[in-house]
Amino acid sequence: MAHAPARPAKPPRTRNNSRLRNALIVFILLAAWLYGFTTTRADIAPLVPNVLPSAHTVVKNGDIFIAYDADHAVVGYAATADATGYGGPVTLLVGVDPDGQIAGIQVVEQHETPGFYTLLRDNRFVQKFLGSRLDQPLVLGEDVDGVSGASLSASAVASAIWRSVEKIRAGTNKPVSAPVQFGLPEVTLAALFAASLLLPRLRKARHKHTLRWAIMVVSLVILGFTYNKPLTIANFASLLAGYWPTWQTHLYWYLVLGGSIGVVLFSGKNMYCSSICPFGAAQECCARLGAARPFNDPDYNPVMSRRMRWVPRWLAVLALALGLAFRQPGAASYEPFGTLFTLNASFVPWALLIVVLFASVLVLRPFCTYLCPVKPALEFVLFARNRVRWLWQTRTIVFHP
C-alpha cells in the first residue's frame, strides 16, 4: 500500500492582527485602484486654442479636433496621445497648422516623477518639436536631442507627440512602429542580473565579496550617475495601474521591473536591493568612511528595530495607494537617489539625501532598511512566491490502488 510522503512543516501560525493588517492593506490598494479607475478626464476641446491660437470654433471628428477661425476656415488640427515614461503616463495635445507643421504642444496630464518632469521643463524639451513637419521623422537622439538624466521621460514625450501626429496624418489611432532601443543601460542591467544570480553559488567568501562590490560599483557608475535609472516604487504603481509603455522604446523599464521580480521568483532572494541598487551601493560607500553597523546589531535596540521595519512597508502602501488613486504613479515617489544622481532637486529632497548619507556612516544602509518602499514591494513578491511554493508542496496527493 502506497503511503503519502510526509507533509512539510506548516509555517508558524499567523496572528490575527497580522491577518487584519494584510486585509487592510489589500482593501486600501483595491479602493485606491477603483477610485482612480472611475476618475474621468476633463474635456479636451477647450484646450485646442492653446495649441492653435487662431482657433475660434473647435469640432471633434473621431480622434481629431478640427479648428476653424471666425470665417469658418480651417486653421489647423489637433489630437491627444498618451505615452508612459519612467514614473507614469504623459498626455499631450498637439496642434498642426494647415501647412503640416507642429504649431503648438500642451501637456494635458503628466504623471511622471517630479524630478524627471522638472528636467524636461527646465530644458524646454517640448519646444524642440515646434515647427516639425508631419512628414518629418521624430526620432529622439537623432532628429531631437534628449535630456540627460530623464531619457525615459523624454522618450515618452517624443512618443506621445509622434502618436498625436500619426492621428492627425492618418485620421485614425494608427499603431506606431518604433525601433527597439537597446544599448548600454540594457546590456549593463542584464549583465548585473546574471552576475547577481551567480553570486550565491560562489563558495569562497572572498570571491563573493569581490563580485558583490564589482556589481555595486558598476551599478553606481552606469545605472546611477550615468543614466539615473534605478528601480522605484513608481514602477510598481505604473504596473498596477496598467500604464505599460511600449516595449520597443522602454525595454529598460521592462528589464528593471521584470528582472527584479523574476530573480526573486527564480532564486528566492531579493538580489536587486542587496547588490544591484545604485543608491544602496552609494550608502555602502559612505559606510566605508565610518564604522557603520547593520540595523540588527546586538548593540542596537532590537524591539525598536523590529518596529521600524514596518515604516517602509506602510510608506510603500501609501505611495502605491496615492499613485493608483490619482493615476499618477510618481506622485508619492520620495526616493532621494534622483537628487544624488542628477544633483538637481528642491530643498526637501536635498535635506533627505544629506540626512541619509550622514546616517550611512553610522548605520549600514539606513534608507534601505527604514524608508525605502521598493524593498517591501519585492519582499511581498518573495512572500507570495514562498507561500505558493508551500501550498504546492502540501497539496493533497491521491494514490490509486
Side-chain angles (χ1 to χ4, degrees):
M1 181 177 178
H3 296 281
R7 295 166 65 90
K10 190 175 181 179
R13 184 179 298 274
T14 306
R15 296 181 180 179
N16 291 334
N17 60 349
S18 179
R19 293 179 178 178
L20 291 175
R21 182 169 51 234
N22 294 335
L24 178 61
I25 291 175
V26 173
F27 174 79
I28 291 174
L29 295 180
L30 181 59
W33 187 90
L34 290 174
Y35 176 82
F37 181 78
T38 57
T39 303
T40 57
R41 182 178 295 174
D43 187 16
I44 301 297
L47 303 178
V48 173
N50 295 338
V51 296
L52 295 170
S54 301
H56 181 269
T57 305
V58 177
V59 177
K60 191 174 188 299
N61 182 15
D63 293 329
I64 302 173
F65 297 92
I66 305 176
Y68 301 90
D69 60 14
D71 298 326
H72 205 67
V74 176
V75 295
Y77 308 89
T80 61
D82 299 335
T84 301
Y86 195 80
V90 177
T91 303
L92 296 181
L93 174 65
V94 178
V96 176
D97 62 24
D99 295 330
Q101 291 185 339
I102 297 179
I105 302 173
Q106 178 177 348
V107 178
V108 178
E109 292 181 359
Q110 70 85 14
H111 303 303
E112 270 289 10
T113 52
F116 289 125
Y117 183 72
T118 300
L119 285 175
L120 296 179
R121 183 193 60 198
D122 293 346
N123 286 271
R124 298 180 60 82
F125 178 71
V126 173
Q127 284 73 13
K128 297 178 181 180
F129 292 87
L130 298 179
S132 300
R133 297 187 58 82
L134 294 185
D135 55 356
Q136 183 178 352
L138 299 174
V139 180
L140 187 62
E142 297 180 8
D143 305 288
V144 179
D145 294 331
V147 177
S148 177
S151 57
L152 289 180
S153 301
S155 179
V157 172
S159 179
I161 295 175
W162 192 0
R163 291 174 183 271
S164 299
V165 167
E166 284 295 310
K167 285 184 181 182
I168 297 173
R169 184 172 61 179
T172 181
N173 191 5
K174 182 180 179 180
V176 178
S177 59
V180 178
Q181 295 182 359
F182 186 80
L184 180 60
E186 291 76 16
V187 172
T188 302
L189 186 61
L192 292 178
F193 277 128
S196 68
L197 290 175
L198 176 63
L199 190 60
R201 301 179 181 274
L202 298 179
R203 296 182 178 181
K204 294 185 178 181
R206 177 168 57 88
H207 294 167
K208 288 185 177 181
H209 178 78
T210 302
L211 179 58
R212 181 171 178 270
W213 268 99
I215 293 173
M216 290 193 297
V217 170
V218 171
S219 175
L220 180 63
V221 173
I222 297 181
L223 303 187
F225 287 105
T226 304
Y227 292 101
N228 187 23
K229 292 185 175 182
L231 180 65
T232 72
I233 193 61
N235 295 124
F236 291 93
S238 182
L239 177 68
L240 296 177
Y243 296 143
W244 297 11
T246 54
W247 71 271
Q248 292 93 338
T249 57
H250 293 77
L251 183 58
Y252 185 91
W253 188 92
Y254 288 96
L255 285 176
V256 69
L257 186 59
S260 301
I261 296 176
V263 168
V264 170
L265 296 177
F266 176 78
S267 66
K269 299 179 183 297
N270 179 9
M271 301 306 298
Y272 179 86
C273 290
S274 63
S275 304
I276 300 177
C277 176
F279 191 64
Q283 293 176 78
E284 291 212 22
C285 289
C286 292
R288 290 285 178 170
L289 301 177
R293 295 173 295 180
F295 75 97
N296 56 355
D297 190 289
D299 294 336
Y300 291 136
N301 188 338
V303 177
M304 182 60 66
S305 296
R306 285 196 300 269
R307 292 176 178 176
M308 287 294 294
R309 292 187 66 179
W310 273 100
V311 173
R313 298 176 184 178
W314 283 110
L315 288 175
V317 172
L318 177 61
L320 289 174
L322 290 176
L324 294 175
F326 297 104
R327 282 300 190 264
Q328 187 169 347
S333 181
Y334 58 89
E335 297 100 323
F337 38 66
T339 304
L340 174 64
F341 299 139
T342 64
L343 301 178
N344 184 5
S346 59
F347 173 77
V348 175
W350 268 115
L352 177 60
L353 175 63
I354 293 173
V355 170
V356 169
L357 293 182
F358 272 103
S360 300
V361 179
L362 303 176
V363 181
L364 187 63
R365 290 190 174 219
F367 184 82
C368 299
T369 305
Y370 299 115
L371 291 175
C372 182
V374 171
K375 186 176 181 180
L378 291 176
E379 285 179 346
F380 175 79
V381 175
L382 179 60
F383 167 80
R385 178 249 191 203
N386 293 337
R387 187 64 179 176
V388 171
R389 184 180 181 183
W390 178 82
L391 291 174
W392 175 258
Q393 292 175 345
T394 57
R395 70 191 187 281
T396 302
I397 302 178
V398 179
F399 291 89
H400 296 282

